[in-house]
Amino acid sequence: MFVYFSKRLLGAIPVLVVVAGIVFALMQFAPGDAVSMLISDEASEADKARIREAWGLHRPPVVQFLNFLAKAAQGDFGMSFRYREPVMEIVLARLPATVELAMAATLVAVLVGIPLGVLAGARPGSIWDSLASTFSFAGISMPNFWMGILLILLFAGHWHILPSGGREPWGLGLDRITGFLLLDALLQGRGDAFAAALKHLALPAIVLGTNMMGIITQLTRASVQEALHEDFVMTARAKGLSAARVLWRHAFRNALIGVVTIIGLEFGALLSGAMIVETVFAWPGIGSLLVQGISSRDYPLIIGLVLVYTTIFILVNLLIDLAYTIIDPRIRIR
Amino acid sequence: MSFSLSALRWQALRRDYRHLTGFKAGFGFAMLAILLAMGLFSPWLAPHPPNQQDLMAAMLPPDWTGPYVLGTDHVGRDILSRIIYGSRVSLIIAGAVAIFASATGVALGVIAGWFGGWIDDAIQKLVEIFWSFPPLMLAIAIVAFVGQGLGIVIIALTAQRWIPYCRVTRAETIALREREFILSARTLGASDGFIIRHHILPNVMLSIIVMTSFAMANAIIAESALSFLGLGVPPAIPTWGGMLSDARSYISTAWWMALFPGLAIFLTVLGMNLLGDALRSQFDPKLKSH
């Protein structure tokens, strides 16, 4: 198994190189001179040439790309045009916020989607089924930027019970240990900080998790319904097991493999959704960083972020493959 | 529980299911029809020109009896008229992305599935690379670097949308390739092109139709997301996503600016998704046999 995962990890490297190449090629289409991001337009030609040389922009794009690859292999993604700091440092500082949000959103999706799907699948045609169906289609079709705006309008603007954006109230004074605020608050025994962070996390996580919730509900419903017609379920019933036990231990467990697959597949959509949700809620993660990077044409930052996003996506799908072997003992990876 | 009782229950269930499918399809078709009508007849349906500003009438709340039924935005443009005109961009994008993505994806999928070998390997590699971008990420990169505009947004959204078509068509082509009627066509000396056109394509058509419904839903939501981020079509053209982007700054004072354009996106996308689901349960032999 170790060999299998090492192979998969190594196999991801050429993909990442091509992804970087595509983004690099796209950058060549960008209008204007990258130097204008670094120095004012009134600067003399000599100064511009100096800046160009200092940032390596005077070289042909192919050489720039190869240079980038050589450095990236050592974890150096270059300097951000805008922040004048190493891209990797900026990204790593903001990564925990996005991971925390994505995990919370997945949790929301799973905690709502699975029970709803199981209830609907166990009693097709019931009120639960209609409810789950309505809920899931609404969830799948919901534009997350709209939902975010509406929830801010209600919870922050109208009822004043939740904050409208950001990750923590000003002056919370929580030391960063892991970068995950909820975890940091627990580690420092700060109940007030935990509650404050949770309040800030609630709306973005619900909004980001809604699409995935809809998909999980539908898939769980279909899988449970199918599993309930299988022979092993009939055997379990014939053995005299309780309905709940048959449903959860036998039918649901078999449905779980599909659900886990869909979480992996949808995680990519969750990452893209995070760009929008983070922008709506002023969440200081890498999604809003990318949107800002694009508007300020911070090329090194953009390419670094695209690669980080792609790497996370590939890693999550690898983890999902690993999860299969735990959920379904019949699956053995060679 | 006796056998006959459970059979009866199943019959009732199936009836319910058909009811539901009918409702979904009806709702989906209705939304599609409304979208088409709004897009085609916008100049006649819209009470005001979409970009006509009236600063004296800025941020008027909805008034069912007044000249601005759904209210006005921050520069006094009529929300209803902008929603009606905004449907054009959604319609064009959804249609164009569906056409280009299905054409590309089906062509590559059939070629990969039919010829196999290194051609298949090459196309599979292409799929793997394009699929490793998180969705929307590639589109954002394309629009951010190449520039804004309707054509570029269409290309950007097609860049990943062809993949589901390619995967499904490839799998179905491989399954069809070994079937008797294809083998006999081959034995009779039919060319590759003939078999693909007359035997393979008609057989993958149903899946393509179902996927197209979902692809259109996806394209509409993706376009509004791009416009919302300010990366869509130029701001002079009214779009639903762009209207929402404007609304963000006035969220506490003018809720109608956010509510109605979003509702338009939501209902349209919901319609397409329900239509796709209804078509799938109608066409999918696995579901039908239940």
Side-chain angles (χ1 to χ4, degrees), chain A residues 100-303:
Chain A
E100 191 173 48
L101 176 60
M103 280 171 32
T106 310
L107 202 66
V108 169
V110 167
L111 289 182
V112 180
I114 288 184
L116 210 56
V118 171
L119 283 172
R123 296 190 183 76
S126 69
I127 180 90
W128 280 110
D129 192 15
S130 327
L131 196 72
S133 185
T134 314
F135 224 62
S136 63
F137 272 106
I140 289 168
S141 311
M142 183 68 73
N144 47 23
F145 39 96
W146 183 52
M147 185 180 176
I149 292 176
L150 290 188
L151 290 189
I152 291 175
L153 198 65
L154 288 177
F155 286 88
H158 197 69
W159 295 322
H160 303 288
I161 44 178
L162 288 172
S164 67
R167 206 176 163 211
E168 56 187 321
W170 199 76
L172 184 67
L174 187 68
D175 293 328
R176 294 284 193 278
I177 301 170
T178 59
F180 299 98
L181 288 191
L182 292 179
L183 198 60
D184 285 351
L186 284 181
L187 286 173
Q188 293 168 48
R190 292 271 307 269
D192 61 318
F194 188 83
L198 198 61
K199 270 186 163 179
H200 280 78
L201 184 60
L203 288 185
I206 291 170
V207 172
L208 186 56
T210 298
N211 290 150
M212 200 195 244
M213 180 277 293
I215 293 167
I216 289 179
T217 306
Q218 284 193 350
L219 192 89
T220 311
R221 175 189 178 276
S223 316
V224 166
Q225 213 180 344
E226 201 167 305
L228 282 175
H229 292 282
E230 299 278 350
D231 291 342
F232 65 82
V233 166
M234 206 181 281
T235 312
R237 280 206 184 115
K239 278 199 302 188
L241 295 183
S242 70
R245 203 174 159 83
V246 171
L247 182 61
W248 287 98
R249 284 300 296 270
H250 293 261
F252 171 65
R253 186 152 179 183
N254 267 275
L256 200 57
I257 188 107
V259 175
V260 171
T261 311
I262 214 77
I263 291 176
L265 285 176
E266 285 304 310
F267 200 80
L270 200 72
L271 288 176
S272 320
M275 284 189 272
I276 293 158
V277 173
E278 285 181 10
T279 304
V280 172
F281 286 96
W283 189 261
I286 56 171
S288 50
L289 186 67
L290 181 62
V291 174
Q292 287 160 23
I294 286 169
S295 56
S296 59
R297 293 172 57 188
D298 193 340
Y299 298 155
L301 186 64
I302 297 172
I303 194 165

Side-chain angles (χ1 to χ4, degrees), chain B residues 45-57:
Chain B
L45 288 172
H48 302 272
N51 287 324
Q52 179 184 290
Q53 302 189 1
D54 180 0
L55 288 172
M56 300 304 288

Side-chain angles (χ1 to χ4, degrees), chain A residues 15 18-19 26-27 30-31 137-138 140-141 143 145-146 149 153 229 268 272 276 279-280 290 294 299 309-310 313, chain B residues 10 128-129 131-133 135 137 140 144-145 221 224-225 228 244 248 251 255 258-259 262-263 265-266 270 273-274 277:
Chain A
V15 174
V18 177
V19 164
L26 283 173
M27 279 183 188
F137 272 106
I140 289 168
S141 311
F145 39 96
W146 183 52
I149 292 176
L153 198 65
H229 292 282
S272 320
I276 293 158
T279 304
V280 172
L290 181 62
I294 286 169
Y299 298 155
Y309 260 106
T310 312
F313 190 33
Chain B
W10 264 111
E128 191 195 339
I129 287 162
W131 206 236
S132 57
F133 284 96
M137 175 74 73
I140 287 182
F145 293 126
I221 236 172
S224 355
F228 178 75
L244 276 177
R248 268 187 76 199
I251 193 165
W255 53 266
L259 182 67
L263 202 60
I265 303 172
F266 174 62
L270 184 64
N273 278 333
L274 289 175
D277 191 71

Side-chain angles (χ1 to χ4, degrees), chain A residues 17 36 42 46 52 81 91 95-96 99 135 150 165 188 199 214-215 220 256:
Chain A
V17 170
S36 60
E42 283 106 67
R52 214 172 266 137
F81 284 173
V91 172
L95 190 59
V99 175
F135 224 62
L150 290 188
Q188 293 168 48
K199 270 186 163 179
I215 293 167
T220 311
L256 200 57

Side-chain angles (χ1 to χ4, degrees), chain B residues 30-215:
Chain B
M31 284 300 134
L32 196 60
I34 292 173
L35 185 70
L36 265 173
M38 284 205 303
L40 289 175
F41 308 116
S42 347
W44 296 280
L45 288 172
H48 302 272
N51 287 324
Q52 179 184 290
Q53 302 189 1
D54 180 0
L55 288 172
M56 300 304 288
M59 298 220 273
L60 290 179
D63 177 2
W64 313 113
T65 52
Y68 303 108
V69 176
L70 298 184
T72 59
D73 69 6
H74 56 298
V75 287
R77 293 174 297 195
D78 180 37
I79 302 261
L80 176 64
S81 305
R82 288 177 71 73
I83 288 178
I84 291 174
Y85 273 93
S87 69
R88 291 184 154 184
V89 169
S90 296
L91 198 60
I92 293 171
I93 300 262
V97 170
I99 290 169
F100 291 134
S102 59
T104 317
V106 170
L108 287 177
V110 169
I111 290 171
W114 182 254
F115 293 105
W118 68 269
I119 301 178
D120 186 24
D121 290 344
I123 293 175
Q124 290 295 94
K125 209 73 217 161
L126 207 63
V127 166
E128 191 195 339
I129 287 162
F130 277 87
W131 206 236
S132 57
F133 284 96
L136 209 64
M137 175 74 73
L138 186 58
I140 287 182
I142 292 176
V143 179
F145 293 126
V146 184
Q148 301 191 329
L150 204 58
I152 292 170
V153 171
I154 291 170
I155 294 172
L157 294 182
T158 309
Q160 277 189 311
R161 255 301 120 183
W162 60 274
I163 293 174
Y165 286 102
C166 181
R167 286 189 157 167
V168 171
T169 329
R170 175 179 173 271
E172 293 195 354
T173 307
I174 289 175
L176 285 168
R177 202 168 56 182
E178 307 303 327
R179 295 270 297 275
E180 273 97 7
F181 70 99
I182 303 268
L183 291 177
S184 41
R186 253 184 172 172
T187 320
L188 289 172
S191 68
D192 287 337
F194 183 88
I195 298 177
I196 288 173
R197 260 179 292 124
H198 292 269
H199 295 296
I200 305 273
L201 284 182
N203 276 295
V204 297
M205 215 44 180
L206 290 181
S207 312
I208 295 172
I209 294 172
V210 171
M211 272 189 290
T212 297
S213 192
F214 292 121

